[in-house]
Amino acid sequence: MIEKYKHTVYQVVFGVLRDEKEAEDVAQETFIKMVDALPSYQQKGFKTWLSRIAFRTALDAKRKKQRQREALTEYAPSKEASRSAEDEWLQEEKSRAVTASIAKMPETYKGVVYAYYIEGKSYAAIASEHRLEEKTIEMRLYRARKWMKQHWKEDDF
């Protein structure tokens, strides 16, 4: 079965990732997920079902890579070892503005946004802390981002 669909899975994954080596790894991961998900397969369109697993696995990998890149650039030491006092003051002002803006958000978003973006907690940690499901935290962050796009201007920060 793997031989029959390996090219299809690779094409789907490569279409998302655009990296040959990473696409090979994610294609293998897709087949592992397929085996785990076989009990939930409903005997309708196997190729489509498998392609959906491949697509979602590739998206997850792409998002994970993007988060790692963001984390590396966020915490990487700057080229200037010592920042000027003005730069530090500007950064503090920006941080205060963001924190004040978060405080003005609707209650359902405020806690999860602060925990995820300011404190750097994972979905699981936030879910445990708030006694909610991880999917609920994920959805609240999604909706909070949507709310921020509508209500905040980039120039504000």
Side-chain angles (χ1 to χ4, degrees):
M1 183 183 322
I2 291 174
E3 283 299 316
K4 183 176 181 180
Y5 293 106
K6 71 180 183 182
H7 185 67
T8 303
V9 168
Y10 179 82
Q11 284 182 314
V12 170
V13 171
F14 183 79
V16 174
L17 300 174
R18 299 285 181 210
D19 181 311
E20 290 179 21
K21 180 68 177 148
E22 192 174 4
E24 290 173 6
D25 293 342
V26 172
Q28 289 178 357
E29 187 179 336
T30 298
F31 285 110
I32 293 169
K33 286 186 176 187
M34 175 204 68
V35 170
D36 292 341
L38 274 174
S40 68
Y41 175 60
Q42 299 174 354
Q43 307 299 324
K44 298 177 187 173
F46 184 80
K47 186 175 177 181
T48 303
W49 178 75
L50 182 59
S51 294
R52 226 177 301 138
I53 293 173
F55 181 75
R56 288 182 181 143
T57 305
L59 277 180
D60 289 345
K62 187 174 183 176
R63 288 177 185 144
K64 182 178 179 181
K65 190 175 181 179
Q66 180 64 31
R67 280 193 305 271
Q68 287 173 342
R69 229 181 287 131
E70 288 172 0
L72 286 175
T73 57
E74 187 174 312
Y75 296 109
S78 64
K79 291 179 183 173
E80 299 176 24
S82 61
R83 292 181 3 186
S84 71
E86 181 181 7
D87 288 341
E88 288 180 26
W89 180 81
L90 287 171
Q91 188 62 36
E92 287 175 22
E93 284 300 308
K94 186 176 182 179
S95 179
R96 279 190 207 110
V98 169
T99 303
S101 295
I102 289 173
K104 295 175 187 172
M105 293 181 80
E107 279 301 317
T108 54
Y109 306 148
K110 193 186 305 185
V112 293
V113 167
Y114 190 83
Y116 186 76
Y117 289 107
I118 305 299
E119 296 174 348
K121 294 181 180 176
S122 68
Y123 287 3
I126 299 168
S128 172
E129 189 177 285
H130 290 261
R131 292 185 180 97
L132 297 167
E133 295 293 323
E134 280 187 54
K135 266 302 193 195
T136 304
I137 300 302
E138 185 179 340
M139 185 55 68
R140 284 187 182 177
L141 283 169
Y142 171 79
R143 290 178 179 158
R145 287 184 203 104
K146 195 173 176 182
W147 186 90
M148 287 185 268
K149 286 179 185 176
Q150 292 173 348
H151 293 88
W152 292 356
K153 297 177 191 129
E154 193 172 331
D155 298 340
D156 293 345
F157 307 105

